[in-house]
Amino acid sequence: MLKPVDKTNNHKDKSRGYLVFFLFLLLSVFLWALKRLNNEYTSTIPFTVSYKNLPKGQLLKMDNYDVVDIELKTNGSNMLKIHVFEKERTIVLNAKNILKSKKKKYGQRYFLMKNLHEEISSQFDNHVEIVSIDPDTIYYTLETIKE
């Protein structure tokens, strides 16, 4: 004799099948993202420049050099951290290292960013490599603040 099909049990099996499918889909997306984050990437990121150890009564005046573009090479997780989670991207330069720079015409001085490469790279994780910095030369004047 034939028994009637229990439709409630069939519905539970379908729900369970969907749940297993979405669980494996979620697992595969997670593993794919993990693999992608381990790849190496290169990206140019703008950083605001600030200065420490300025001489008292002196002002470092620059024309349009508040931001430098730094090309970084690192794995995806570090790049994601820099792009998404570091809202204020700032590099701090020691003014004592800058003020040793050569004189230029009309009282303007300059410094080369490549000479500060070690100081800048120390502000990143060990796995972050600096490929290039733009602009490579920054011109400035040193002015006395009148009180």
Side-chain angles (χ1 to χ4, degrees), residues 23-38:
L23 197 67
F24 278 102
L25 180 66
L26 186 65
L27 179 65
S28 64
V29 167
F30 174 75
L31 292 174
W32 171 81
L34 192 62
K35 181 181 180 312
R36 296 290 289 175
L37 287 175
N38 285 330

Side-chain angles (χ1 to χ4, degrees), residues 4 11 21 27-28 32 41 47 60-61 65 76 99 117 135 138:
H11 179 42
F21 172 76
L27 179 65
S28 64
W32 171 81
Y41 296 95
F47 285 87
L60 205 59
K61 185 177 174 187
Y65 294 118
L99 297 177
H117 191 276
I138 294 184

Side-chain angles (χ1 to χ4, degrees), residues 36-128:
R36 296 290 289 175
L37 287 175
N38 285 330
N39 291 346
E40 201 164 83
Y41 296 95
T42 303
S43 178
T44 302
I45 304 172
F47 285 87
T48 304
V49 181
S50 66
Y51 302 91
K52 66 178 181 179
N53 297 327
L54 284 169
K56 290 185 180 181
Q58 298 284 316
L59 177 67
L60 205 59
K61 185 177 174 187
M62 299 183 197
D63 296 326
N64 301 327
Y65 294 118
D66 297 339
V67 176
V68 294
D69 293 326
I70 302 177
E71 187 177 358
L72 299 174
K73 183 178 182 181
T74 186
N75 64 24
S77 58
N78 284 336
M79 195 65 75
L80 182 68
K81 184 175 89 172
I82 292 170
H83 271 289
V84 176
F85 299 114
E86 290 184 14
K87 298 205 186 297
E88 192 165 319
R89 298 182 204 125
T90 304
I91 56 169
V92 180
L93 300 178
N94 190 345
K96 289 181 181 179
N97 295 338
I98 294 169
L99 297 177
K100 295 176 187 176
S101 62
K102 302 173 184 175
K103 276 224 177 226
K104 189 70 177 166
K105 293 181 181 179
Y106 310 114
Q108 242 187 353
R109 298 178 185 210
Y110 68 93
F111 62 92
L112 302 175
M113 292 301 281
K114 70 177 182 180
N115 294 343
L116 302 172
H117 191 276
E118 189 174 307
E119 181 179 349
I120 295 169
S121 62
S122 69
Q123 297 177 40
F124 295 107
D125 290 340
N126 291 337
H127 305 288
V128 178

